[in-house]
Amino acid sequence: MADVIDVINPATEEILGQVPRGTAADAHAAVAAAKAAFPAWSRTPATVRAGLLHEAANKIQAHTDELTHLLTVEEGKPWVENEEEIFWVHDTFHYYAELGRHERGRFLPPGDPDQINFVVKEPYGVVVCIVPWNFPLLLLAWKLAPALAAGNTVVIKPSEYTPLSTLRLIELGFDHFPAGVVNVVTGYGPEVGEPLVNHPDVPLIAFTGSLATGQRIAALAAPSMKKLHLELGGKDPLVVAPDVDLATAVSATAYAGLINAGQVCTSAERIYVHESIFGRFSEELADFVGKLRLGNGLDRQTDVGPMLRDSFRTKVEQVVAEAVRAGGKVLVGGGRPAHLERGFFLEPTVMVNVNHEMRLMREETFGPVLPLMPYSDFDEAIALANDTEFGLGATLLTHDARLVKRFYEGVKAGTIWINDPLTDNFAGPFGGMKMTGGGRELGQEGLDEFYEVKHVHWDVEGQLKEYWFPYGAGE
Ligand code: NAD
């Protein structure tokens, strides 16, 4: 058994480097280091922690080019998307540096005049952060920054596909932190992730990844009742109303479904277009998507990069082929580009004649495929949007305020986008409903996930109470 893992560039298929294939012993050593660091870190004043987090943000920002390059060769998405990822990463650390020192609980009106009542927010202890490969640094930052700001110490388990950028981020950005506060173990989920999940000294697991892994982690954590923060899969709908400007709507839809080659939890994977514009919309979308430039993310002209691995591409091809056998029609794409000899590229694909019987419209595709279905009235569009086990995000393109209200009230999803899909605003929460898991990242909610609350009832006078035993004393 190899004791290292090769990290591969999905655009060239070259080996970029190797990382240790971690074991249970590595997991246990990391938890022990984090546990030893916790008492001092949790007592460190929040203003001091804020200073250290701002410094981390500044160091990360100063290395934007290096980290963007590493992300591009390791994960494959275009340079511009990775540069944006690094921006969001250092901004997250600035944001939680400030939020973490803002408040740590609240003061309550007392239940009795002699009492003082307050709620204290406390860190959990050692937090394990398990992260996927599609936005490896962003999704780490959304956990690491609030976890540290709240006073927890952390063990990070990056994806086995994208560990290099994580290791470099921690090396560059956190060398000024006390030893043991931030730890990383690399390796495979079952070999190093499960020992972390099972460890008795880990009270909280913050996980982003697939539904299947989330279910496995939840099952492992159940006997010890660990706190879970779960951000799982999605099957996001995008609804196009009849009033849209066609060119703008086409461009928004292509962006929503094809950034990171569709390998985004909030990718628009089901597109519902009003029947009055369905024909023109699908033709124009196919035309637009057919002109996107597929290539190596290091080329600044590239719109769409490769998929992460050949096996992921094969799975998407199978789902498309299955839909075609059931009557689906490919308007553009669907194949492997002839001009790119190496790399796990799949042409961005637009499909029609699809329905909810198909796996394409039910399971997370996680690839560059835009399947379109017509709808006739808006209630039908909302019903189609809700016809999924997931509830991460949903987009509506319209300028009709009445439709907007019906949409955000009627659709069961953690994020609703109107006319500008897949944007983030750190001041507000991000997360899902239904089988996406109930975790929330960003905003105050994303900090509160890393605190336990304690309600203190303090009777300052400490006098005898007439409502204590014996009940019959006053009769
Ligand atoms: P994955 O579930 O395969 O892996 C995620 C992480 O879990 C990796 O670090 C992996 O090594 C680890 N892991 C795997 N098995 C494990 C186990 N038994 N115990 C502990 N850890 C284990 O997911 P992925 O392929 O890396 O990422 C894609 C998935 O992530 C998609 O389903 C996508 O929708 C989801 N995702 C969700 C969000 C969100 O915010 N909801 C964001 C991004 C990605």
Side-chain angles (χ1 to χ4, degrees), residues 188-200:
Y188 295 112
E191 294 175 4
V192 78
E194 293 200 10
L196 289 173
V197 171
N198 287 330
H199 200 294

Side-chain angles (χ1 to χ4, degrees), residues 223-353:
S224 50
M225 300 304 293
K226 290 182 193 221
K227 164 92 194 275
L228 294 176
H229 166 96
L230 299 176
E231 302 277 351
L232 310 178
K235 186 75 189 166
D236 284 9
L238 182 149
V239 174
V240 185
D243 66 288
V244 293
D245 169 68
L246 219 55
T248 307
V250 160
S251 186
T253 304
Y255 178 78
L258 300 176
I259 66 165
N260 199 5
Q263 302 170 117
V264 185
C265 53
T266 48
S267 278
E269 294 211 348
R270 301 175 290 137
I271 318 297
Y272 304 105
V273 184
H274 192 262
E275 60 187 5
S276 63
I277 57 167
F278 187 81
R280 278 189 302 141
F281 183 90
S282 22
E283 272 168 37
E284 288 195 24
L285 182 66
D287 186 50
F288 185 93
V289 166
K291 290 179 183 145
L292 294 176
R293 290 174 65 133
L294 201 56
N296 189 318
L298 290 176
D299 177 348
R300 310 296 166 96
Q301 303 303 313
T302 291
D303 297 309
V304 180
M307 295 196 60
L308 184 81
R309 288 290 180 272
D310 195 30
S311 57
F312 297 177
R313 173 173 62 174
T314 304
K315 193 201 138 203
V316 176
E317 288 171 330
Q318 283 167 352
V319 170
V320 168
E322 226 175 84
V324 168
R325 280 197 298 278
K329 184 177 166 199
V330 173
L331 294 185
V332 72
R336 300 184 179 191
H339 69 288
L340 295 165
E341 280 172 14
R342 296 191 74 80
F344 311 124
F345 292 95
L346 184 62
E347 289 169 339
T349 306
V350 178
M351 292 188 70
V352 291
N353 293 355

Side-chain angles (χ1 to χ4, degrees), residues 130-134 139 157-160 187-190 193-194 197 207-211 213 216-217 231-234 265 364 366 392 430 436 441:
I130 302 180
V131 185
W133 51 265
N134 62 338
L139 296 168
K157 210 300 273 170
S159 168
E160 57 274 28
Y188 295 112
E194 293 200 10
V197 171
F207 171 77
T208 300
S210 62
L211 172 61
T213 308
R216 169 80 183 145
I217 287 173
E231 302 277 351
L232 310 178
C265 53
E364 189 174 44
F366 229 59
L392 187 52
F430 173 86
T436 299
E441 307 200 291

Side-chain angles (χ1 to χ4, degrees), residues 56-67 90:
N58 291 336
K59 287 179 174 175
I60 294 164
Q61 183 172 16
H63 291 89
T64 294
D65 276 358
E66 179 186 343
L67 290 167
H90 57 76

